[in-house]
């Protein structure tokens, strides 16, 4: 059989080796991309309040009226979510946060939805959001001013913290989590 016949009847000689090299290159690029992604995630976590730290307790105004200090929640596990009405990932994640907060409340979980909506119109913006999209969120909403955000090193939304029963940070995440990811973190926090 000549080289010309081999080309018309199947893969030309040497082409199989080229395909294997291409496949290996693709796998290598995907592996490097995965490592880079994990490195970025770890770097983001490193810029959050470290595990074991006791953040200062601020008074935050509650949307429903009154105020809340994180120190008032000692003895319970706190899921503290920094969010805003204008943040698409926050809006997408919120139904899962509310659902899981209700599910785990009897086990000692307290959900605090710390709004970063800014300015004098923040209460109206949050109220509109609650009425239109997420009415079940209402009892959990507080307003986190710049001092609170700075103390928790919030420079992107959403940012989620878990505080143990003594008020110390035990976990933190910048960026949205799936419902399964949230559930795993809640269960891990409640076991500590």
């Amino acid at each position: 059989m000549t080289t010309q016949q081999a080309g018309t009847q199947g893969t030309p000689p040497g082409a199989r080796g080229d395909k294997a090299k291409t496949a290996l290159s693709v796998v290598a690029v995907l592996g490097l991309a995965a490592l880079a992604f994990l490195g970025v995630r770890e770097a983001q976590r490193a810029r959050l309040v470290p595990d074991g730290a006791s953040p200062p307790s601020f008074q935050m105004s509650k949307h429903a009226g009154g105020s809340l200090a994180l120190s008032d929640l000692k003895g319970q596990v706190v899921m503290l979510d920094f969010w805003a009405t204008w943040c698409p990932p926050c809006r997408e994640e919120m139904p899962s946060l509310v659902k899981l907060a209700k599910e785990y409340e009897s086990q000692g979980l307290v959900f605090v939805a710390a709004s970063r909506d800014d300015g004098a119109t923040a209460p109206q913006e949050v109220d509109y959001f609650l009425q239109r999209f997420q009415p079940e969120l209402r009892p959990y909403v507080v307003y986190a001013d710049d001092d609170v955000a700075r103390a928790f090193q919030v420079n992107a939304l959403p940012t989620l913290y878990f505080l143990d029963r003594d008020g110390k940070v035990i976990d933190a995440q910048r960026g949205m989590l799936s419902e399964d990811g949230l559930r795993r973190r809640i269960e891990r926090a409640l076991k500590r």
Side-chain angles (χ1 to χ4, degrees):
M1 175 184 305
T2 67
T3 304
Q4 195 174 35
Q5 288 174 326
T8 58
Q9 293 182 352
T11 306
R16 287 186 192 160
D18 291 344
K19 286 183 181 179
K21 287 178 187 174
T22 301
L24 259 163
S25 295
V26 167
V27 168
V29 167
L30 290 175
L32 289 173
L35 284 173
F37 174 77
L38 291 173
V40 167
R41 295 289 266 199
E42 187 59 31
Q44 287 178 333
R45 174 62 178 107
R47 289 190 301 250
L48 294 170
V49 175
D51 291 354
S54 294
S57 185
F58 292 92
Q59 288 287 338
M60 295 179 279
S61 297
K62 294 169 81 174
H63 181 72
S67 64
L68 173 74
L70 292 176
S71 59
D72 296 340
L73 302 175
K74 285 202 176 172
Q76 301 174 80
V77 172
V78 177
M79 180 170 64
L80 174 62
D81 181 56
F82 291 90
W83 69 288
T85 59
W86 47 262
C87 166
C90 301
R91 293 168 65 135
E92 188 175 333
E93 183 181 50
M94 197 56 73
S96 295
L97 287 166
V98 171
K99 174 187 172 189
L100 294 170
K102 288 180 176 187
E103 184 178 329
Y104 288 96
E105 188 175 48
S106 65
Q107 295 178 41
L109 181 73
V110 175
F111 178 38
V112 178
S115 172
R116 289 292 295 140
D117 287 276
D118 200 18
T121 61
Q124 291 83 10
E125 292 168 16
V126 169
D127 202 53
Y128 176 79
F129 174 80
L130 294 172
Q131 288 177 20
R132 181 155 177 160
F133 301 107
Q134 196 69 46
E136 294 179 326
L137 177 63
R138 186 174 300 279
Y140 306 109
V141 176
V142 299
Y143 295 96
D145 63 20
D146 291 343
D147 291 335
V148 175
R150 227 181 338 275
F152 282 93
Q153 300 175 14
V154 175
N155 56 28
L157 297 176
T159 296
L160 179 70
Y161 279 93
F162 285 94
L163 308 178
D164 69 10
R165 296 177 199 282
D166 294 322
K168 294 181 180 176
V169 173
I170 54 173
D171 194 5
Q173 166 74 32
R174 186 171 283 129
M176 189 178 123
L177 287 167
S178 68
E179 186 172 319
D180 287 340
L182 287 165
R183 183 180 301 280
R184 281 191 299 274
R185 286 174 183 251
I186 290 168
E187 290 177 356
R188 189 167 53 230
L190 287 169
K191 287 179 183 174
R192 292 183 106 185

